[in-house]
Amino acid sequence: QVQLVESGGDSVQAGGSLRLSCAASGRNYVKWCMGWFRQVPGKEREGLATLDWRGITAYADSVKGRFTISKDNDKNILYLQMDSLTPEDTGTYRCAASWAVTAHAALGAMVHPDFGYWGEGTQVTVS
């Protein structure tokens, strides 16, 4: 089992920045993959950014150039640096983790409940 706990969500003005964190604990996988997706009521979940065990990243077009995913492997914390935020970025941001899947494959796969593990989410509001 893997436990994921997100933090860092807040209310910010358009153009601002936030850094989200996802602390992972429990079982460790050698070929791990982690990422962030966004939930907005009435809309489909959207995969935003992923990072895999090889250091490969993948981003949705909607956040490319504005969001940066990274991981502190010593602390086992996944980050999402979000810059140039817009009201369209408002939503619940959830962390996801799985194994033996590449960053590019995970970008679409992680929004499905059978992907692996999900955190409960942290709320981001941009006005």
Side-chain angles (χ1 to χ4, degrees), residues 36-117:
W36 294 91
F37 68 94
R38 178 166 63 205
Q39 282 188 197
V40 179
K43 294 187 177 181
E44 292 187 356
R45 301 184 192 103
E46 181 185 12
L48 302 176
T50 51
L51 171 65
D52 68 26
W53 72 98
R54 304 166 298 166
I56 303 295
T57 59
Y59 294 94
D61 288 344
S62 60
V63 305
K64 200 172 293 183
R66 300 188 300 122
F67 290 11
T68 304
I69 191 170
S70 62
K71 186 172 182 279
D72 185 328
N73 288 321
D74 291 335
K75 297 180 180 179
N76 214 10
I77 299 176
L78 184 74
Y79 298 104
L80 186 67
Q81 177 66 41
M82 306 189 295
D83 299 318
S84 303
L85 287 163
T86 73
E88 288 68 39
D89 294 315
T90 294
T92 300
Y93 284 67
R94 300 182 73 173
C95 178
S98 190
W99 59 96
V101 60
T102 66
H104 285 89
L107 195 58
M110 67 175 165
V111 300
H112 300 288
D114 61 355
F115 175 71
Y117 304 98

